[in-house]
Amino acid sequence: MVLAKAYLVIAKENSNLQLAWELSAQIRACQLLFSQVATRASPITAAEAEPIMKQLASLIYQSRELHYDIATVIMKFKAQIQALEERASAATVQSTTFGQLAAEAVPKSLYCLGMQLTLEWAETRGELSKQQHSPALTDQDLYHFVVFSDNILGTSVVINSTVCNAKRPTQLVFHLVTDSVNFGAMRVWFAQNDFKGATIEVQNIDTFTWLNASYVPVLKQLQDVETQSYYFKSGQESKNAVKFRNPKYLSMLNHLRFYIPEIYPELKKVVFLDDDIVVQKDLTPLFSIDLHGNVNGAVETCLESFHRYHKYLNFSHPKIKANFDPDACGWAFGMNVFDLVAWKRANVTARYHYWQEQNVDRTLWKLGTLPPGLLTFYGLTEPLDRKLHVLGLGYDPNIDAQLIESAGVVHFNGNMKPWLKLAMSRYKPLWERYVNYSHAYVQQCNIH
């Protein structure tokens, strides 16, 4: 197929439109076959491949007969490769710049919303603080979801979309953890808005006294002078330097997912949701999925994007090479089912601590929570139906509309978050339908 694409360019340059059309048709047939195979998750059969291979072979033979000698073709290929490399380099620089803007530029409207809610918290703090501890928070017969975020509107959309699509919303319990800056605003927001009778708990991460540098490797490493220099000093030569300074990679809210059993010791099973997802189906059936003794239920990503372990981890390092399969299938954070009983039995948090300590010099992986997650849950992850969690709405403009429509959860992973101006207009309505635009502060802060 790659060779056919090259000859397609040459055929067009020489105005041989009939050959170009035939090459295009076979390339599309080949791509369609790949797509079907990825969707059904089974290998290509000989019967499927042979007709396409015969047609491609015949067309490539015709192309070689019609267009130039092999030396000229090689020169053409080299010129095309050089042009593509230049375009890729420019796109990488642009993507890094946009990524930094998306990470740091909080829209004024969202900042305004947080400020208005915080001011109200200062006035109503005493009344809200008197709220009783609900027995629903530890009721094992209810459905427990956890969200760790400092984004008020994003978290609200997650909860609103979950309850709107649930058959029995009063049986849903949401456990939120945020930082001290947003704690008051979160408390006011979820007290003022109606979420169909669901129970919502908001906690402040700063009240977790056990979350300290003597226990948590990430916090200990951030106290190191060399680590601080690596993440915070300007003038880094690496093209990824800007990405390393993205605040989300260093936020403990991002790493809190590895401590769920310690935050909620009385719960047995939870569903973890990121703040950039939108729920489209009833998620309560997730709680009855058999994980076959595994800890983490997640959707694998290697079938469509070929995201395998070697894409995230440094397999030249002996500890990685000795313990993991480079072709093991990657999976996604964002919508995960966690069996907390199996978690404690496998001592998962200790596994996470071990790998974080091994990566003190950043030679196993560079940043983020997915690489340590892949190591921590290696051999403990149960693949879920791929339709449950569709990713890419924050960077891929070409996701199939039917795939999005059938998804249980759509995930705006990537830099183009739905609350930013960078968001893709095609996907933004999926998120906007769950924003409460009638709220006085939303209108006052001009959120639209």
Side-chain angles (χ1 to χ4, degrees), residues 1-271:
M1 186 177 71
V2 173
L3 194 58
K5 286 181 178 179
Y7 279 119
L8 170 61
V9 173
I10 296 172
K12 287 181 177 178
E13 288 177 350
N14 288 271
S15 301
N16 192 336
L17 300 183
Q18 178 62 30
L19 178 59
W21 183 87
E22 292 176 1
L23 285 165
S24 294
Q26 289 307 312
I27 290 168
R28 285 195 299 272
C30 197
Q31 290 171 332
L32 180 61
L33 178 59
F34 287 157
S35 177
Q36 292 171 345
V37 168
T39 303
R40 76 187 186 208
S42 61
I44 297 173
T45 65
E48 292 171 321
E50 190 173 1
I52 297 176
M53 291 170 63
K54 282 184 176 180
Q55 287 294 328
L56 283 174
S58 174
L59 290 170
I60 289 169
Y61 178 79
Q62 292 179 47
S63 302
R64 290 175 60 185
E65 292 295 307
L66 290 171
H67 300 294
Y68 307 116
D69 56 30
I70 195 66
T72 307
V73 171
I74 289 172
M75 292 301 295
K76 284 272 188 183
F77 286 172
K78 285 183 176 179
Q80 290 170 17
I81 289 170
Q82 185 176 357
L84 287 172
E85 286 177 345
E86 290 174 357
R87 288 170 59 189
S89 178
T92 299
V93 172
Q94 187 181 50
S95 176
T96 303
T97 303
F98 284 170
Q100 187 66 8
L101 287 172
E104 294 185 353
V106 178
K108 288 189 292 185
S109 56
L110 295 188
Y111 178 77
C112 168
L113 177 64
M115 287 298 296
Q116 294 291 350
L117 292 167
T118 301
L119 290 172
E120 184 164 342
W121 164 252
E123 297 174 0
T124 61
R125 182 172 183 171
E127 183 180 340
L128 288 174
S129 297
K130 292 177 184 176
Q131 292 178 352
Q132 298 273 328
H133 178 85
S134 171
L137 297 177
T138 55
D139 189 338
Q140 303 297 337
D141 293 327
L142 301 180
Y143 304 102
H144 296 267
F145 297 85
V146 296
V147 184
F148 305 138
S149 174
D150 58 2
N151 187 317
I152 299 165
L153 210 57
T155 304
S156 180
V157 167
V158 172
I159 295 178
N160 197 27
S161 62
T162 305
V163 299
C164 285
N165 290 287
K167 293 179 180 178
R168 297 180 295 276
T170 57
Q171 295 188 13
L172 307 187
V173 182
F174 294 90
H175 303 268
L176 312 184
V177 180
T178 189
D179 54 26
S180 56
V181 174
N182 294 280
F183 174 70
M186 286 271 197
R187 285 292 303 272
V188 173
W189 178 266
F190 289 105
Q192 287 184 349
N193 288 274
D194 175 33
F195 292 94
K196 297 185 179 295
T199 302
I200 301 175
E201 172 194 37
V202 182
Q203 290 182 275
N204 185 347
I205 190 174
D206 291 342
T207 63
F208 301 157
T209 55
W210 50 267
L211 206 64
N212 54 62
S214 63
Y215 178 61
V216 179
V218 169
L219 290 175
K220 182 180 179 180
Q221 289 163 13
L222 287 176
Q223 293 180 354
D224 180 70
V225 174
E226 183 184 346
T227 303
Q228 291 178 359
S229 175
Y230 181 79
Y231 282 115
F232 301 116
K233 271 194 175 180
S234 59
Q236 298 277 353
E237 293 183 3
S238 169
K239 67 180 181 181
N240 290 323
V242 175
K243 188 175 182 180
F244 292 156
R245 294 196 294 274
N246 187 325
K248 74 175 184 178
Y249 294 116
L250 306 178
S251 169
M252 271 312 300
L253 287 173
N254 205 33
H255 290 267
L256 207 58
R257 65 194 68 192
F258 295 104
Y259 299 96
I260 293 175
E262 289 168 86
I263 305 170
Y264 311 108
E266 295 176 299
L267 299 183
K268 295 181 178 179
K269 182 175 281 189
V270 301
V271 170

Side-chain angles (χ1 to χ4, degrees), residues 230-437:
Y230 181 79
Y231 282 115
F232 301 116
K233 271 194 175 180
S234 59
Q236 298 277 353
E237 293 183 3
S238 169
K239 67 180 181 181
N240 290 323
V242 175
K243 188 175 182 180
F244 292 156
R245 294 196 294 274
N246 187 325
K248 74 175 184 178
Y249 294 116
L250 306 178
S251 169
M252 271 312 300
L253 287 173
N254 205 33
H255 290 267
L256 207 58
R257 65 194 68 192
F258 295 104
Y259 299 96
I260 293 175
E262 289 168 86
I263 305 170
Y264 311 108
E266 295 176 299
L267 299 183
K268 295 181 178 179
K269 182 175 281 189
V270 301
V271 170
F272 168 79
L273 300 174
D274 266 339
D275 63 6
D276 56 353
I277 63 104
V278 174
V279 176
Q280 301 188 132
K281 309 286 184 185
D282 182 13
L283 294 188
T284 55
L286 291 175
F287 290 84
S288 58
I289 289 178
D290 186 358
L291 297 182
H292 300 99
N294 287 311
V295 177
N296 172 32
V299 170
E300 293 182 330
T301 55
C302 59
L303 291 173
E304 59 183 5
S305 305
F306 311 105
H307 290 167
R308 299 189 181 271
Y309 269 50
H310 63 81
K311 293 289 185 181
Y312 302 98
L313 303 166
N314 177 19
F315 273 87
S316 64
H317 195 289
K319 288 187 178 178
I320 296 294
K321 187 176 181 181
N323 291 283
F324 303 97
D325 177 5
D327 291 322
C329 194
W331 45 267
F333 270 132
M335 194 283 292
N336 303 78
V337 183
F338 289 128
D339 183 333
L340 303 185
V341 176
W343 182 308
K344 295 172 185 176
R345 186 168 57 243
N347 208 2
V348 167
T349 301
R351 291 176 63 161
Y352 164 69
H353 282 174
Y354 171 79
W355 288 112
Q356 279 289 359
E357 289 165 353
Q358 298 304 306
N359 195 45
V360 66
D361 55 358
R362 301 170 300 280
T363 56
L364 305 188
W365 71 88
K366 290 297 183 185
L367 50 80
T369 53
L370 182 56
L374 295 175
L375 301 181
T376 300
F377 294 104
Y378 185 72
L380 300 173
T381 298
E382 180 72 15
L384 302 180
D385 185 341
R386 297 175 68 239
K387 290 182 180 179
L388 286 170
H389 186 185
V390 171
L391 298 104
L393 279 74
Y395 67 88
D396 184 357
N398 300 311
I399 303 174
D400 184 80
Q402 291 184 341
L403 187 62
I404 291 175
E405 185 178 351
S406 65
V409 166
V410 290
H411 195 165
F412 287 82
N413 59 310
N415 290 326
M416 299 178 184
K417 302 298 185 188
W419 53 83
L420 298 173
K421 289 184 178 179
L422 293 173
M424 284 181 270
S425 57
R426 178 189 169 197
Y427 305 134
K428 199 164 183 176
L430 298 170
W431 185 82
E432 288 181 323
R433 71 179 64 168
Y434 296 106
V435 177
N436 181 11
Y437 288 108

